[in-house]
Structure formats: C-alpha cells, structure tokens
Amino acid sequence: MITPGQTYRSATPRGGPRILIQSYTPGRTHAWAVDAATGQRGRWILVTALHQTPVTRTGQPRRTGYVLEAL
C-alpha cells in the first residue's frame, strides 16, 4: 500500500534518485513525489512504477521503477 512519507529508491542498476511520496489518493494512477534529499523537484509518479520488493515474481532483480526503502 502506498502512503505519504514512504521513501523509494531507483531500481535501475546504475542507481538513481531517491523519492519521497508526499501525497497519494487510493484508487488514483499517480502519486505526487519529491526528491528525498532536498524535498524539491516535485513530480507525478505512476503507482505501477512503485514496487514493494526489489525482485520480480520470477526472482529477477527489478531494473525499472522504484523500490520501497523505508516507511
């Protein structure tokens, strides 16, 4: 479940930004996120790109989207 205050890290192998979810309405397709370090650069993120685990159903590491880091 996506809730405001959650921190996600990029799932790309080369690394990437960490984001903080600021607002999300259940049932919507997007969540408003900002850069976790600065609180700036607000943007809409598709909720299908926010993953709870760092691996897929087949056990492969995720290569796209964002992986839950902390609540």
Side-chain angles (χ1 to χ4, degrees):
M1 173 176 271
I2 300 167
T3 58
Q6 288 179 326
T7 304
Y8 288 81
R9 65 174 168 81
S10 177
T12 61
R14 60 187 164 100
R18 290 175 56 234
I19 60 171
L20 173 70
I21 303 299
Q22 275 199 330
S23 66
Y24 173 67
T25 303
R28 297 288 184 160
T29 59
H30 291 79
W32 182 254
V34 296
D35 184 69
T38 64
Q40 297 179 341
R41 294 194 43 180
R43 56 203 179 270
W44 291 104
I45 302 288
L46 278 169
V47 296
T48 56
L50 301 174
H51 306 290
Q52 302 297 316
T53 62
V55 294
T56 64
R57 282 182 278 151
T58 61
Q60 298 295 318
R62 292 196 185 275
R63 300 174 56 92
T64 61
Y66 294 89
V67 178
L68 182 63
E69 192 172 73
L71 295 175

